[in-house]
Amino acid sequence: MAELFVAGVSHKTAPIAVREQLAVEEDKLREILLDVHATGIFSEVIILSTCNRVEVYGVADVPGEARALAFRRLGQQRGLDLAVLEPMLYTKSGTDAVRHCFQVAASLDSMIIGEPQILGQVKEAFALAQSCQSVGPLLHRLLSQAFAVAKKVRTETELARHAVSVSYAAVELARKIFGSLEGKAVLLIGAGKMGELAARHLVDQGAFPIFVANRTWPRAQEVARVLAGTPVPFDEWPETLKAVDIVITSTGAPEPIVRKGDVERGLHARRSRPLFFIDIGVPRDVEPSVNELEAVFCYDIDDLRQVVESNVRERLREAQKAEAVVEREVAKFLARAGDLEVVPTIVSLRERLETIRRGEVEKALVTLPSADPQMRQAIESLSQSIVNKILHTPIVKLRELSRSGHGRSWTEMVHELFGLGRERDEE
Amino acid sequence: MNPVLFDLALVGYVGATLLALAHLIQRRDAVYRATSLLTQAAWVVHTLALVVRGVELGRPPLGTLTEAMSVVGWAAVLFTLWAERQYRVKVLGAFVLPLVSILGLSTAWLPPGLTDLAPALRNAWIWVHVILAMLGISAFVLNFAGGVMYLLQERQLKAKRPGALYYRLPSLETLDRLTFRTLTLGFPFLTLGLFLGALWARTAWGSLFTFDPLALFSFLAWLVYAATLSGRAVAGWRGRRAAYFAVVGFSALVLTLGAGLLLPGRHGS
């Protein structure tokens, strides 16, 4: 009886040194996949290889053997012995494997929960296995539903909603203040790499126009060109405060550049429109007391980190909701897969009885050489309907039992009773 | 009289309030859908109750203050359902429904008041006066809710420690638009309503301001709202300042209703 399982290592069980030894690029992976599948030990197999996890999803009669084969083969690439790998390997089968697959695809098992890349990586692994024809009905169904689960989690929970990097956290804060960033003016003071990156995120959200002030004029011009903005002479930045909504500072100056007095003077002309300072300079470029001014919000790098931390906590809370979605979907999958589990048994049972029937009909016809076509037809349909009548109840019963989760022991019994396994061995 | 329908609507609003608060804490979509459905159902029952009462009385159900307040709640829920869609602010109900429930519960405790009007009040203009004033007030219920939400969100952003509310409340910009929009919606209604009331008081009692606590307080509230609007136009008052004014203005309106209910005057019981 073939069984579904998943075996692998992830950031939770193995250090990066081991994971990078196992990770392989696509061409190599294709080769391994073909080799492993060709042995016949796996009836279906998919290999997922990312920098945070290497996992084998398989359907095999002897999962232990299949798992050892796959990881011995994966380890061979960089001389990693299976014995070294063994303590870090986890193996899940049946329901647990289904749950794990859904959790991985929905990014619940990721290092950064909710990160979006993993779904794409699972899709690639699936496509690769499909092109190697190592995907059968069970894995096809499992992965298709895993993609649906990932989508559900994304739409029904806010797992991936809140930023977990400092620069995206700044963008998100800006949106909490301004709503849309479309047409919001940005001033960048200090044209370093970090500042440029932060400004870039705002530009991507539709912020415009962009002003760039920097001590060295050519650099200001350069960054302004990259961001499609306007360079501003460094001493003249206070003038632009009237016109901008968001100020990013990252100068590396030892003393704050933006003082409360400067901002206060610029505020009057702003008529209480909000002004948002993103201070990513260390030491800080904006006097912290600027935050006390009306409609002015000032976040330094530590404040942003704090927001990120609380976003991570928020994600963890959402993860609980997502787990509930996964549980629901696992139950659905099992209900449907139950049928899948008994289908091979039903097919071979039918074949078995059909073989017997045909043999017996032929024998009977030998003893009746004078039978006319009408009689032959009668014998055929008589035998067929006997077989169908006999099969009807067991098939219905098997389907029912598999839906209630007891399919496995019953299919084994049917195999035993009708000698179905033996017949397969003989072939 | 049809107290059963009113009670049913009130129970619906209280239930929706609890659900809306649960949604604020848990943020489950299913809870939001339930809140929305229950609110709409309660509103429909409320509408029915008002119609039935109107038919029974043979006049608009606006003759007493308790009746009028019921209409304020009714219109406020209608505005909320509209604004939740318009501004995509799913948590608005959590701020408006408690007010509607309190309004409903407080009037349920009070004696029903006059069931018919004094002869001096029998005039078509009185209905226009009351309807306009009540529509204005219900817009200010939303104005108040928007202001409170703005102040809460602004505090979260200033404190730099995002709490539960930070994630649930919309952006400052959205909240500012909501407060401004409801102010511009409510102000003309209130102005016209008060103007008609004053004019009509002159024909009935011969003077614009006979002593009436309700009229005084409502005039006070009108001044606050007028100040907010002109402050915005002239000096660009928005954001926090506009939000504070929304709170002050609404407090004046609450005093107005309290005065009308508890102090003797022209307006009621």
Side-chain angles (χ1 to χ4, degrees), chain A residues 155-156 158 161-162 172-173 175-180 271-274 288 290-300 303 306-307 310-311 314 317-318 321, chain B residues 25-29 150 153-154 156-174 231-241:
Chain A
T155 53
E156 286 182 17
E158 297 187 352
R161 172 105 166 256
H162 304 295
E172 228 174 64
L173 279 165
R175 296 174 64 124
K176 273 289 181 193
I177 296 168
F178 299 107
S180 160
R271 297 170 57 115
S272 330
R273 273 180 301 125
V290 163
N291 192 53
E292 293 159 13
L293 295 167
E294 190 184 331
V296 178
F297 304 90
C298 174
Y299 279 68
D300 62 36
D303 298 331
Q306 209 158 30
V307 172
S310 111
N311 284 356
E314 192 67 13
R317 200 167 321 167
E318 288 298 308
K321 275 192 225 170
Chain B
I25 295 162
Q26 288 194 314
R27 215 174 2 156
R28 279 180 196 281
D29 271 353
Y150 186 98
Q153 183 66 305
E154 202 228 13
Q156 298 266 321
L157 280 163
K158 279 274 191 194
K160 304 175 186 177
R161 276 175 188 62
L165 280 174
Y166 165 81
Y167 294 104
R168 283 134 182 96
L169 291 172
S171 68
L172 291 182
E173 168 68 26
T174 304
R232 182 147 186 147
V234 176
W237 289 359
R238 59 168 78 215
R240 186 161 63 162
R241 217 168 298 184

Side-chain angles (χ1 to χ4, degrees), chain A residues 17 43 56 62 69 77 89 105 115 247 265 278 288 308 338 345 357 361 408:
Chain A
S43 52
V56 174
V62 191
L69 168 78
Q77 301 308 308
L89 273 179
E115 58 90 8
V247 182
R265 269 191 296 283
I278 305 167
V308 165
T345 305
R357 185 192 70 85
V361 167
R408 229 179 122 67

Side-chain angles (χ1 to χ4, degrees), chain A residues 297-369:
Chain A
F297 304 90
C298 174
Y299 279 68
D300 62 36
I301 194 87
D302 276 2
D303 298 331
L304 291 173
R305 285 209 187 101
Q306 209 158 30
V307 172
V308 165
E309 270 169 38
S310 111
N311 284 356
V312 169
R313 281 196 297 276
E314 192 67 13
R315 278 195 180 195
L316 290 177
R317 200 167 321 167
E318 288 298 308
Q320 292 174 354
K321 275 192 225 170
E323 292 287 358
V325 174
V326 166
E327 262 340 289
R328 232 171 35 227
E329 294 291 316
V330 168
K332 265 193 224 164
F333 180 84
L334 292 179
R336 267 182 256 148
D339 271 356
L340 214 61
E341 190 181 43
V342 295
V343 162
T345 305
I346 292 170
V347 169
S348 41
L349 188 59
R350 243 184 216 293
E351 277 169 5
R352 183 81 179 171
L353 292 197
E354 178 64 16
T355 318
I356 296 171
R357 185 192 70 85
R358 215 175 297 131
E360 296 305 309
V361 167
E362 266 161 32
K363 259 191 252 168
L365 288 177
V366 170
T367 62
L368 290 169

Side-chain angles (χ1 to χ4, degrees), chain B residues 42-57:
Chain B
W43 184 81
V44 170
V45 173
H46 195 172
T47 312
L48 207 65
L50 288 170
V51 169
V52 171
R53 176 167 287 180
V55 170
E56 280 176 355
L57 294 173

Side-chain angles (χ1 to χ4, degrees), chain A residues 4 9 22-23 39 74 85 110 145 170 221-222 253 264 320 324 326 409:
Chain A
L4 170 72
V9 296
L22 275 179
T39 59
L74 281 163
L85 203 56
S110 300
Q145 194 170 341
Q221 282 179 309
E222 191 191 325
E264 222 166 357
Q320 292 174 354
V326 166
S409 55

